[in-house]
Amino acid sequence: MFRTVALSALALFAACAPTALDTVDETAAARVDEERILEAGKMILPAAPMTRSIGFDSMGPPSTVPADAAVWDVRHAWSDVTSEAGLAWGANSGLTWDEKYAVWVDSLGETTSTTGSKTVELTTPWGRNLPSPRLECAEMAMFLRVTFAAWHGLPFFITAGTGSGEVYFGHFGILDANGNRLSGYPRFATTYADYRDDFAGVDAATVVANWPDDATLEDDRLGSNGDDLVTFLGADAGAGAYFDELFLNKRAGHFLMRMLVNVGSMHLASARNTWNLTPEAMREGDLLLQRWQSSGIGHTVVIKEVDDLAAGHMDVEVIYGSMPRIQPVWYTGSIAQSYFTSQRSGGPAMSSEGVPYSELGGGLKRWRTPVVANGRWKNIVPVADRDEWIGSTDYPTLEARVATFGEILGDATPEEQRDALLARIEMARQALAQRPASCTNRIRREEAFDELYTLAANEFGMTRTEVDETWRELDDYIFAELEYSASKTCCWNSTTPDMYAAVVGYNAELVEAANDNGQCVEPVVFMARDGGEYEPFRTYANNHGYAWVEWSADESCPQAGVSDDTVASEPFSAFCDVADSVMGWTTCAATEVCGNGVDDDCDGLVDDGCGSTGGSTGGSTGGSTGGSTGGSDGSSSGSPDCGGCGGRRADPRGFMVLFGLGGLGIFRRRL
């Protein structure tokens, strides 16, 4: 029934986690089905963004294109200044439409997601309030830009590519380099309805009360695993149902469904679609791209709010989705700031590929804006912004931005920076507890640990081993980071909390049994091995009443045939070197060792009997190893059972972190 597009460059992908190539039959009944979702992955640009410099202009298709391919009509240029009041601006605001986009993103309201996290709420031009849909990170960035452009008649397009040439997703439809409708994609203007004229001049309340539905769009989904469910619109409602509620012009909703599953963070990092700007010029609606490899997975953060502070400082808030898809989470303070100071946001540090991160295309970006010139559409750096533009191969200037952000973003103390990193680590762990195969969240956790190692060494004098003894958990070794392009597990999005419980349960029993026999064994990493199998976890799950889902390529998976996944090389301590601390095993000495800052004999005092009064280990500050929760085994603080004090330093900096992540009320006590 469905015709597929012949694409030859589908080996590498480009999002928080890649999804699937979507093609359609040209009938009104066409919709995404599960088999077709699994056929191919996101398209990749024919040239990675770091291999060439793009100037102010990036050429697109001819301006004369097939009328039946169009999605929406263009009524304004992004540089226009119009007088009417809008969703977030008053009459005669003096703002260009590009500036109005920033004001609109800033105005998005706060609400609570279905999982209890802080997220954003959209208000439609007809006054209806809708919580954000569930999207991955690059999808959220594109969703906001397309929605604003479609509502207000603004031009928009993104350049992607196939093995045979460039392809453009835009207001004019989905076109090839010659301006022809790409074979296999719909004639939006003649296939789908636009109800705007039917409601012209009608008051908003009447529009909402008589809202037209598109049954085909309502049933459409972004993937096969149900991660785009928006249950506030119905038990089975997905992204298509959400877009059906946003647009009177149903063509825009159908277009979003096709673009979001074809385009990802690599395309946003490309200089063809966005441009690099100076830190001081940052505003709402801009993007921060993190890249840790030249092709494949990345991360996209949308700047939600920017506030100017005294003495040239700024405060920033961000939103981003994830894969598996979530309602984007809204982050503030040190957590938000930490993304801008990460080396993976285009810094000078060396990546695992042997080139600086600056050459991988990450960093602060702003959308290019389309105009027509000499008979072609082109995406430009607006004239008004060109003093803030940085060329995509001006690596010294790009690299300097990370340090600049460290200087201008707030005044976070080392302790606040530490707590922000620990919060990021905990968020990744909680995501893995939901989807234990997620390579994205394994990468995010280790990125935060990398930054924590540096911060702890520079500010607190801690070695990597001490960091691992203090903050590593068994989960980190079980769900070790995998090499994305060499590990079939990374394609598997349909793993479940039940599977997480089985994997952790097996390993907990394994390492505890060995310890009872006076031995230490390394945990078994959750990954494919021995011909692509997932033993011993499958057997453990079946024997203990946990539901097990068999491996499936839930996204395009060139590495599907690997026999053994590959664990990424990481600088953290071997498990058995820090197992006493990680597991909270008792290692109490018979007598105190003076001067080492450790409660060696686990009596609740540090360096007691050493000529001065030892510091108590039972408080929540100043040498806390017991903390308010007592021992890790449930014993009271300072008990002979130690609760994990053995092998840990009683640290006068008092590392105590309280998290309230996503309504989960998680409390983690470390020293």
Side-chain angles (χ1 to χ4, degrees):
M1 172 182 177
F2 296 100
R3 290 186 291 168
T4 57
V5 180
L7 299 172
S8 60
L10 295 168
L12 300 170
F13 310 99
C16 317
T19 52
L21 174 65
D22 180 27
T23 61
V24 305
D25 187 89
E26 295 173 25
T27 69
R31 65 177 298 270
V32 177
D33 72 320
E34 293 189 22
E35 290 184 359
R36 187 159 49 89
I37 279 286
L38 303 181
E39 288 179 356
K42 293 197 174 190
M43 292 190 291
I44 187 170
L45 287 168
M50 75 291 297
T51 61
R52 55 182 172 176
S53 178
I54 304 295
F56 294 141
D57 301 340
S58 175
M59 287 299 177
S63 56
T64 302
V65 297
D68 61 358
V71 182
W72 67 84
D73 54 309
V74 172
R75 305 189 304 275
H76 304 294
W78 287 94
S79 58
D80 286 350
V81 176
T82 56
S83 61
E84 73 278 8
L87 290 170
W89 57 90
N92 301 306
S93 65
L95 300 173
T96 67
W97 282 99
D98 210 15
E99 292 168 333
K100 289 174 180 176
Y101 176 70
V103 172
W104 175 66
V105 172
D106 183 42
S107 76
L108 297 178
E110 175 184 341
T111 190
T112 302
S113 73
T114 55
T115 58
S117 300
K118 179 180 177 180
T119 190
V120 294
E121 180 179 68
L122 280 73
T123 301
T124 72
W126 304 276
R128 185 171 182 189
N129 295 325
L130 290 171
S132 174
R134 293 175 65 177
L135 299 169
E136 58 108 306
C137 58
E139 290 172 352
M140 182 61 179
M142 294 183 287
F143 160 70
L144 291 174
R145 190 71 170 182
V146 168
T147 296
F148 188 83
W151 278 348
H152 300 293
L154 294 158
F156 170 88
F157 75 90
I158 279 181
T159 302
T162 71
S164 58
E166 292 183 338
V167 60
Y168 311 101
F169 290 78
H171 66 273
F172 39 61
I174 302 173
L175 308 178
D176 64 19
N178 297 317
N180 299 316
R181 180 182 58 85
L182 196 63
S183 177
Y185 285 86
R187 296 179 172 89
F188 289 98
T190 55
T191 303
Y192 305 116
D194 179 357
Y195 294 101
R196 289 177 296 173
D197 288 345
D198 296 348
F199 289 90
V202 178
D203 65 272
T206 302
V207 174
V208 172
N210 295 277
W211 191 262
D213 296 324
D214 181 325
T216 302
L217 182 57
E218 280 186 318
D219 288 341
D220 220 343
R221 301 293 292 275
L222 288 173
S224 61
N225 63 359
D227 64 353
D228 67 340
L229 274 176
V230 285
T231 53
F232 51 85
L233 291 178
D236 298 320
Y242 188 95
F243 299 155
D244 188 50
E245 297 294 329
L246 281 188
F247 300 109
L248 282 175
N249 180 6
K250 305 303 178 180
R251 302 163 189 167
H254 285 283
F255 170 77
L256 266 174
M257 294 300 295
R258 284 146 184 85
M259 191 187 77
L260 295 185
V261 296
N262 280 274
V263 182
S265 64
M266 188 174 182
H267 303 90
L268 301 187
S270 169
R272 297 296 305 272
N273 300 312
T274 61
W275 54 278
N276 297 288
L277 74 156
T278 59
E280 296 82 0
M282 177 174 58
R283 71 186 183 205
E284 294 82 359
D286 290 338
L287 310 176
L288 183 76
L289 275 293
Q290 290 192 314
R291 304 289 305 161
W292 43 85
Q293 54 193 8
S294 55
S295 297
I297 194 167
H299 187 45
T300 305
V301 171
V302 178
I303 287 78
K304 173 64 177 68
E305 294 185 11
V306 180
D307 294 316
D308 291 328
L309 306 177
H313 287 272
M314 306 169 74
D315 188 32
V316 64
E317 301 182 11
V318 302
I319 51 174
Y320 62 80
S322 187
M323 180 61 82
R325 295 176 176 92
I326 62 171
Q327 286 181 277
V329 183
W330 183 341
Y331 293 112
T332 63
S334 297
I335 296 178
Q337 294 166 13
S338 65
Y339 288 98
F340 295 84
T341 55
S342 169
Q343 288 295 316
R344 296 187 180 188
S345 298
M350 199 65 66
S351 72
S352 61
E353 295 186 358
V355 298
Y357 286 110
S358 60
E359 297 184 22
L360 301 182
L364 181 66
K365 313 278 186 178
R366 183 168 294 167
W367 289 98
R368 287 179 178 262
T369 56
V371 298
V372 173
N374 299 320
R376 297 191 76 90
W377 283 103
K378 61 180 181 179
N379 257 334
I380 70 166
V381 176
V383 174
D385 292 334
R386 291 182 180 179
D387 287 345
E388 311 298 340
W389 171 79
I390 303 173
S392 56
T393 57
D394 183 358
Y395 300 129
T397 305
L398 295 173
E399 292 171 354
R401 294 188 296 179
V402 171
T404 299
F405 276 124
E407 296 170 358
I408 68 175
L409 285 181
D411 292 304
T413 66
E415 290 76 16
E416 290 171 334
Q417 295 175 52
R418 176 203 65 214
D419 291 353
L421 291 170
L422 293 174
R424 286 169 54 190
I425 290 167
E426 187 57 40
M427 287 184 286
R429 287 175 179 152
Q430 290 302 312
L432 283 164
Q434 299 298 310
R435 305 282 187 178
S438 172
C439 289
T440 303
N441 285 294
R442 301 185 195 204
I443 290 170
R444 288 176 180 166
R445 184 196 64 222
E446 293 309 315
E447 178 192 20
F449 261 113
D450 287 345
E451 295 177 42
L452 182 60
Y453 289 140
T454 301
L455 176 72
N458 294 341
E459 300 294 340
F460 305 121
M462 297 179 71
T463 66
R464 286 175 182 253
T465 298
E466 289 170 330
V467 169
D468 291 335
E469 287 177 333
T470 305
W471 289 300
R472 283 288 178 186
E473 297 191 354
L474 178 62
D475 280 25
D476 302 343
Y477 292 91
I478 297 172
F479 304 103
E481 182 181 346
L482 304 178
E483 288 190 13
Y484 200 95
S485 60
S487 302
K488 64 181 290 184
T489 298
C490 299
C491 311
W492 191 12
N493 297 329
S494 54
T495 50
T496 66
D498 237 26
M499 297 170 73
Y500 167 85
V503 172
V504 173
Y506 171 84
N507 273 294
E509 291 184 14
L510 178 73
V511 298
E512 290 286 0
N515 183 63
D516 290 344
N517 292 322
Q519 300 174 328
C520 181
V521 297
E522 297 281 338
V524 180
V525 176
F526 179 46
M527 66 182 198
R529 54 170 55 81
D530 300 328
E533 294 301 314
Y534 288 89
E535 294 294 351
F537 308 120
R538 179 195 289 109
T539 297
Y540 183 91
N542 292 335
N543 290 342
H544 289 78
Y546 295 110
W548 186 264
V549 178
E550 293 299 326
W551 180 88
S552 59
D554 298 325
E555 57 193 55
S556 182
C557 196
Q559 67 271 37
V562 302
S563 297
D564 299 272
D565 287 348
T566 303
V567 176
S569 176
E570 292 293 345
F572 54 73
S573 308
F575 174 76
C576 287
D577 291 342
V578 294
D580 286 346
S581 296
V582 170
M583 298 301 296
W585 290 330
T586 301
T587 56
C588 301
T591 60
E592 192 79 0
V593 177
C594 295
N596 68 350
V598 174
D599 177 20
D600 302 282
D601 58 4
C602 298
D603 65 352
L605 299 174
V606 176
D607 290 345
D608 55 310
C610 294
S612 62
T613 302
S616 169
T617 63
S620 62
T621 61
S624 166
T625 60
S628 60
T629 61
S632 62
D633 60 354
S635 60
S636 61
S637 60
S639 74
D641 286 333
C642 217
C645 63
R648 298 193 185 186
R649 303 186 307 157
D651 199 310
R653 291 176 294 278
F655 291 113
M656 176 74 72
V657 183
L658 177 65
F659 298 105
L661 300 177
L664 295 173
I666 298 162
F667 180 82
R668 289 220 176 263
R669 196 265 311 140
R670 282 293 181 270
L671 287 182

